[in-house]
Amino acid sequence: METPKNEKFRDSIATIDDKGKRAWVFPKKPKGSLYKYRKWVSYGLLAFLFASPFVKLNGNQFLMFNVLERRFNIFGFPFWPQDFHLFVISMLIGVIFIALFTVAFGRIFCGWICPQTIFMEMVFRRIEYWIEGDRGKQIRLSKQPWNTEKIRKKTLKQFIFLVISFLIANVFLAYLIGGDRLIQYVVDGPTSHLSTLISLIIFTGVFYFVFAWFREQVCIIACPYGRLQGVLLDNKSVIVAYDHKRGEADNGRKKFRKNEDRQALGHGDCIDCFQCVNVCPTGIDIRNGTQLECVNCTACIDECDHIMENINLPKGLIRYTSEDNIEKKTSFKITPRLKGYIAVLVILTGVLSGMLFLRNDIEANVLRLPGQLYERKDNNIISNVFTYNLVNKTNGDIANINFKLLSHKGIIKLVSTKASFIVSKQDIAKGTLFIEINNSELSGDRNTLKIGVYSGENLIETTRANFLGPRSYN
Ligand code: SF4
Ligand code: SF4
């Protein structure tokens, strides 16, 4: 069956031409109030991104994701592999949050917060405008032969792109290995840490490839979140949308002519100027309806508002709204459904924050040495051997650590001459201990002990361990 004419745009993507080759997008430089707000949000987020691996809170790096050594800091809180359950729950909450947020507010994240959009549109694209000029000049430059002007501009642009990619790669590395360590490596000189240097060169290459060449293709074909839009959005989701009722009216869009009564002729407010298409960084025509390629960057809103102002029509032909609002010609309202979603999002954020703040500062594990049975000693004493593992997640040393049995009468003997020890800040202490209990205290061969971990006389953590005894035949 032949595709209807107005649905043809669904047969191909705007960035691939008829021969299957990449159709390079030369978006017009956006301007307008939303672009201004986006610029400030972007600069704030860029400052946050570049500063976070070098800023310290309570002596901890503000954000760190050291996957290799399995050490993570989130907002200055150190996380250990032992906190993995918290990590999994945070991830689950994060996924639910993203799903609900997208159902309610569409792809706002992509346009305002996503690092790909911010770097592409607010850093690399702005350098491109600065060196090569706006859309028209860029198109002319790409078509002209390789003369001195073209070589100079292209070389300068690619060189700056490479330098910025290198900077981003350094920051990325600071998140992975830690800001202090990165600075130390720079001081030591690149050849002292060859493997890190190779990683840095690879990261630089990847960022350069993405921002100099791959660009909008990340959002169109590579980003998993982008692909999710098809299942998350519905006609009540708030998105960047073209008001086709107003734009097309009864007899469709039409070029603008002075002194023509468009309303009487049945034409809509869209004057088919194509400025919303020219400004789009993913090369799509928003007038075709909601499309996966749209990253909700709002550039077409600003551009169309500008056109509407020039022809004395109300702004908002393209705006943040839902398809439902457009069909019913109603304005955007916080519906009970949206209120419900917002309530769930607030609760989830509260749960996550609570979990992060209520997390234990010390983690204790006492496990029976595998393969060891109990030992019978004089005076009906039964002894088991255990290993202990203490993680100090705080920024201070914990001194005078000792163990006490809380559930049974008995004694705990550390396999060292000292009765107590210190766990340094953000360190792990491991060792072996014996627990001795009189057989009369035990109930059969399997007993669960409750063990208290003390710093001096202060109970700082409790844990449980299984204790083996002689089998009871009563
Ligand atoms: S910018 Fe506005 S008026 Fe111009 S084509 Fe796009 S929707 Fe129509
Ligand atoms: S359609 Fe509009 S909001 Fe969507 S990506 Fe293009 S310019 Fe941005």
Side-chain angles (χ1 to χ4, degrees):
M1 199 177 83
E2 206 186 323
T3 316
K5 194 165 163 256
N6 63 350
E7 292 285 302
K8 280 242 191 277
F9 73 95
R10 296 200 192 278
D11 294 343
S12 60
I13 57 173
T15 48
I16 306 286
D17 68 15
D18 294 342
K19 294 188 185 104
K21 286 201 178 134
R22 172 85 175 270
W24 196 261
V25 183
F26 295 97
K28 188 177 172 207
K29 189 175 178 184
K31 56 176 186 303
S33 51
L34 284 169
Y35 186 64
K36 227 183 276 167
Y37 291 134
R38 274 179 62 220
K39 259 198 303 196
W40 288 115
V41 172
S42 300
Y43 295 151
L45 289 173
L46 282 172
F48 178 80
L49 185 92
F50 277 84
S52 291
F54 302 102
V55 168
K56 297 239 168 91
L57 198 68
N58 302 325
N60 295 319
Q61 185 169 318
F62 192 63
L63 284 178
M64 182 171 77
F65 305 97
N66 190 336
V67 184
L68 296 178
E69 290 170 11
R70 293 182 295 160
R71 296 183 67 174
F72 305 89
N73 290 353
I74 298 174
F75 302 134
F77 284 97
F79 282 81
W80 292 76
Q82 286 79 359
D83 295 318
F84 189 69
H85 64 289
L86 278 184
F87 190 70
V88 172
I89 296 170
S90 318
M91 287 292 124
L92 285 176
I93 290 179
V95 169
I96 297 169
F97 188 99
I98 288 172
L100 285 186
F101 190 86
T102 310
V103 170
F105 301 107
R107 223 172 160 176
I108 284 181
F109 168 84
C110 301
W112 290 79
I113 297 167
C114 174
Q116 162 71 21
T117 311
I118 290 179
F119 274 116
M120 188 65 244
E121 302 307 322
M122 298 297 169
V123 179
F124 288 87
R125 191 89 72 192
R126 286 177 68 80
I127 290 167
E128 201 159 65
Y129 290 134
W130 171 58
I131 296 173
E132 296 185 355
D134 209 343
R135 174 182 157 80
K137 286 186 179 163
Q138 285 183 23
I139 295 174
R140 270 197 298 284
L141 189 72
S142 78
K143 284 185 182 157
Q144 78 186 43
W146 282 93
N147 56 15
T148 326
E149 184 205 5
K150 186 165 174 173
I151 293 172
R152 183 176 52 79
K153 286 186 173 171
K154 293 279 178 197
T155 314
L156 176 65
K157 183 179 89 172
Q158 299 303 338
F159 174 72
I160 296 178
F161 280 5
L162 204 57
V163 171
I164 295 177
S165 302
F166 179 72
L167 275 179
I168 300 172
N170 271 277
V171 174
F172 186 63
L173 203 62
Y175 276 101
L176 291 183
I177 64 171
D180 287 348
R181 202 187 290 182
L182 179 80
I183 292 169
Q184 187 56 49
Y185 284 7
V186 173
V187 173
D188 293 348
T191 46
S192 313
H193 305 280
L194 267 182
S195 58
T196 311
L197 180 66
I198 292 168
S199 313
L200 193 64
I201 292 169
I202 293 172
F203 291 150
T204 305
V206 171
F207 288 124
Y208 178 71
F209 167 77
V210 166
F211 295 115
W213 190 79
F214 204 49
R215 301 189 152 197
E216 75 288 339
Q217 298 300 315
V218 173
C219 315
I220 295 175
I221 58 175
C223 173
Y225 179 60
R227 310 312 296 168
L228 273 177
Q229 305 305 307
V231 287
L232 292 179
L233 297 183
D234 64 16
N235 59 359
K236 290 191 176 63
S237 308
V238 178
I239 47 166
V240 173
Y242 165 70
D243 184 343
H244 60 93
K245 291 270 179 195
R246 184 186 145 192
E248 307 293 316
D250 295 331
N251 294 329
R253 60 188 83 142
K254 185 177 183 281
K255 294 275 179 215
F256 179 72
R257 279 215 196 110
K258 237 180 171 180
N259 304 324
E260 189 176 62
D261 189 349
R262 296 175 70 89
Q263 224 171 356
L265 292 168
H267 291 297
D269 285 353
C270 174
I271 60 165
D272 212 12
C273 63
F274 270 88
Q275 293 311 308
C276 52
V277 184
N278 291 342
V279 83
C280 178
T282 61
I284 59 166
D285 187 341
I286 188 72
R287 296 172 301 167
N288 287 329
T290 314
Q291 292 151 79
L292 285 185
E293 293 95 322
C294 175
V295 292
N296 277 219
C297 74
T298 71
C300 55
I301 299 185
D302 276 336
E303 199 60 30
C304 190
D305 279 352
H306 185 60
I307 301 289
M308 291 296 115
E309 260 177 345
N310 284 349
I311 57 171
N312 277 327
L313 285 175
K315 293 200 271 188
L317 180 56
I318 302 175
R319 62 182 184 274
Y320 274 125
T321 187
S322 69
E323 288 184 1
D324 214 37
N325 286 147
I326 291 175
E327 277 308 323
K328 294 177 184 157
K329 297 194 175 179
T330 49
S331 55
F332 171 67
K333 273 195 212 95
I334 305 259
T335 58
R337 190 180 89 132
L338 272 184
K339 281 183 195 159
Y341 283 150
I342 292 169
V344 175
L345 293 179
V346 170
I347 291 168
L348 287 180
T349 314
V351 169
L352 186 59
S353 318
M355 274 171 38
L356 295 179
F357 282 96
L358 294 175
R359 185 194 62 135
N360 284 352
D361 281 343
I362 186 149
E363 182 99 24
N365 281 304
V366 177
L367 294 171
R368 215 165 39 75
L369 205 61
Q372 295 288 317
L373 285 174
Y374 62 88
E375 190 188 342
R376 196 185 282 273
K377 298 182 124 183
D378 294 345
N379 301 325
N380 208 18
I381 296 290
I382 305 297
S383 169
N384 280 199
V385 59
F386 295 83
T387 58
Y388 63 82
N389 193 327
L390 287 182
V391 184
N392 177 1
K393 301 173 191 169
T394 68
N395 275 315
D397 298 346
I398 302 180
N400 216 358
I401 296 247
N402 59 91
F403 298 94
K404 284 179 192 161
L405 262 183
L406 300 177
S407 56
H408 293 69
K409 271 190 201 152
I411 51 169
I412 297 180
K413 289 181 183 166
L414 294 176
V415 183
S416 79
T417 47
K418 294 178 188 164
S420 66
F421 56 93
I422 291 179
V423 194
S424 307
K425 62 176 182 176
Q426 298 203 21
D427 204 359
I428 301 175
K430 291 179 181 179
T432 310
L433 55 83
F434 287 95
I435 298 182
E436 295 180 353
I437 301 175
N438 194 298
N439 195 15
S440 60
E441 287 278 322
L442 301 174
S443 47
D445 53 343
R446 293 192 181 275
N447 301 268
T448 303
L449 308 182
K450 188 175 175 192
I451 300 163
V453 183
Y454 287 78
S455 168
E457 288 303 312
N458 293 331
L459 179 66
I460 51 173
E461 174 65 323
T462 56
T463 185
R464 288 180 190 277
N466 289 324
F467 188 91
L468 290 185
R471 193 164 287 177
S472 158
Y473 295 101
N474 299 335

